[in-house]
Amino acid sequence: MSLKDNPAMLRSIIMDHYEYPRNHSLTKDETYTSKHMASASCIDDIEVQLKMVDGKVEDIRFDGTACTIATSSTSIMSELLKGRSEEEVKMIMDQYFNMINGQEYDEEILQEAVAFCNVGRQANRIKCATIGWRAIAGLMGIKEYQDE
């Protein structure tokens, strides 16, 4: 059975990352770039920080007020993208946004991020599931996933 076919496991992943978010603190280290993101339609208001070294993601941090979906998706993203090159980040984002938009995607590439495979069914949750991802896209100059 595929992870995406196990609703209990998907909920468990989301709740784990909401209750115990990874990389959930900001740093004053000036080698990080930072992007503030807020949603006009819900409570999501976060700051995301990125540290790139030699073309690779060394660290991602975030903090703020956010719903369960926004917090957990940003937490999962921060873990999934660490250590990745810019090309790998773009490929992972392509897969993630394909999934969110109901298109074909590679579950293996997305790992725990597949927990958001059903978010596209609730249009009002898409912004929540992508807020952290769009922040990183903005910080890395990946135009197709930046804010409208």
Side-chain angles (χ1 to χ4, degrees):
M1 181 195 302
S2 164
L3 178 60
K4 69 181 178 187
D5 298 323
N6 186 338
M9 183 60 82
L10 298 178
R11 273 191 302 279
S12 174
I13 291 168
I14 290 169
M15 290 310 297
D16 178 55
H17 279 270
Y18 176 66
E19 292 171 356
Y20 309 101
R22 293 16 163 222
N23 308 301
H24 192 237
S25 65
L26 298 177
T27 179
K28 294 186 186 308
D29 184 334
E30 293 182 8
T31 62
Y32 285 71
T33 55
S34 179
K35 184 158 181 72
H36 175 255
M37 300 288 286
S39 173
S41 59
C42 72
I43 67 165
D44 299 338
D45 187 338
I46 64 172
E47 183 161 344
V48 179
Q49 295 178 319
L50 171 69
K51 182 173 185 174
M52 297 288 293
V53 174
D54 297 328
K56 288 196 173 191
V57 175
E58 182 168 292
D59 195 19
I60 296 174
R61 313 209 59 73
F62 75 102
D63 201 1
T65 302
C67 70
T68 303
I69 299 296
T71 299
S72 57
S73 71
T74 304
S75 173
I76 289 169
M77 176 211 61
S78 72
E79 291 285 284
L80 186 58
L81 300 184
K82 272 191 195 175
R84 307 287 186 149
S85 69
E86 292 179 46
E87 295 79 25
E88 290 171 311
V89 168
K90 170 77 168 70
M91 183 262 307
I92 292 167
M93 284 195 170
D94 288 345
Q95 294 299 309
Y96 186 76
F97 282 89
N98 281 351
M99 178 185 72
I100 294 296
N101 294 318
Q103 299 167 350
E104 278 191 39
Y105 63 94
D106 187 327
E107 190 175 336
E108 281 186 40
I109 289 170
L110 293 180
Q111 300 174 26
E112 286 187 320
V114 79
F116 302 98
C117 63
N118 296 316
V119 163
R121 295 180 188 163
Q122 295 176 285
N124 61 325
R125 298 311 243 155
I126 292 173
K127 285 193 180 218
C128 305
T130 59
I131 193 167
W133 296 78
R134 289 182 290 113
I136 291 299
L139 290 168
M140 294 183 75
I142 302 171
K143 293 190 184 337
E144 54 268 50
Y145 304 119
Q146 293 179 41
D147 271 344
E148 299 79 40

